[in-house]
Amino acid sequence: TSTFIQDSFRYTGSHSFPLKQFLSNHAVRYLFFLRQQNPVARLCRKHMQTKYGLEIGNGSNIGPGLYLGHAHSITVNPRARLGKNCNLHKGVTIGQENRGERIGAPVIGDNVWVGTNAVVVGGITVGDNVLIAPNAFVNQDIPPHSIVIGNPARIIPSPDATLGYINNPI
């Protein structure tokens, strides 16, 4: 699919089908099966979910150019929305809150980099061009052009927050 080609461009910088990457990189294979909506693809995705701990819900609204760095133990709630050129790294959780003032799942903008073991939860909005540092806990709205660190989340304005972090943007 064209969305998968856009995803694979983030890894290879090429707009052709990445056969070498497909055969050698489980993240690229997972993205291929994630973008397909047929029973065989769902079966392959289920196998990879068990093997690598990749849980990206069928209903997730994910923009093109998704990059899974060190693709293990990544969870994305089916109700979450991710913009284009998002990077998710090992141990990331994008989850929902079921009670309180932030009921719901996150809406994440374009060009967002989420570091290892970061948690983003609740009916919040993360703006465009945001870097969420490793191990950060985010349960509040984040304005565009920001760096987020720590638990509780501390927001640092930065016009070039993801400069050098988003490789091969589409």
Side-chain angles (χ1 to χ4, degrees), residues 97 99-103 123:
E97 286 189 18
R99 60 184 174 271
E101 60 189 56
R102 291 180 292 270
I103 291 175

Side-chain angles (χ1 to χ4, degrees), residues 95-106 120-125 137-142 152:
Q96 75 178 32
E97 286 189 18
N98 295 322
R99 60 184 174 271
E101 60 189 56
R102 291 180 292 270
I103 291 175
V120 182
V121 294
I124 63 169
T125 300
F137 178 78
V138 181
N139 68 345
Q140 61 182 305
D141 289 341
I142 306 298

Side-chain angles (χ1 to χ4, degrees), residues 61-111:
N61 183 351
I62 299 172
L66 179 62
Y67 183 95
L68 303 176
H70 305 288
H72 294 274
S73 303
I74 297 172
T75 302
V76 178
N77 185 279
R79 293 186 180 101
R81 289 189 295 160
L82 279 67
K84 69 179 183 179
N85 296 322
C86 283
N87 285 38
L88 304 179
H89 293 276
K90 185 177 184 176
V92 164
T93 299
I94 309 291
Q96 75 178 32
E97 286 189 18
N98 295 322
R99 60 184 174 271
E101 60 189 56
R102 291 180 292 270
I103 291 175
V107 174
I108 297 177
D110 297 339
N111 303 310

Side-chain angles (χ1 to χ4, degrees), residues 28-70:
V28 172
R29 281 193 309 278
Y30 184 80
L31 290 170
F32 176 79
F33 295 128
L34 178 69
R35 299 300 189 176
Q36 304 298 311
Q37 296 301 316
N38 62 61
V40 173
R42 279 194 283 272
L43 184 63
C44 292
R45 192 170 66 240
K46 182 72 171 169
H47 168 73
M48 294 183 81
Q49 176 178 321
T50 302
K51 185 172 183 177
Y52 300 109
L54 296 168
E55 300 179 60
I56 300 177
N58 278 343
S60 300
N61 183 351
I62 299 172
L66 179 62
Y67 183 95
L68 303 176
H70 305 288

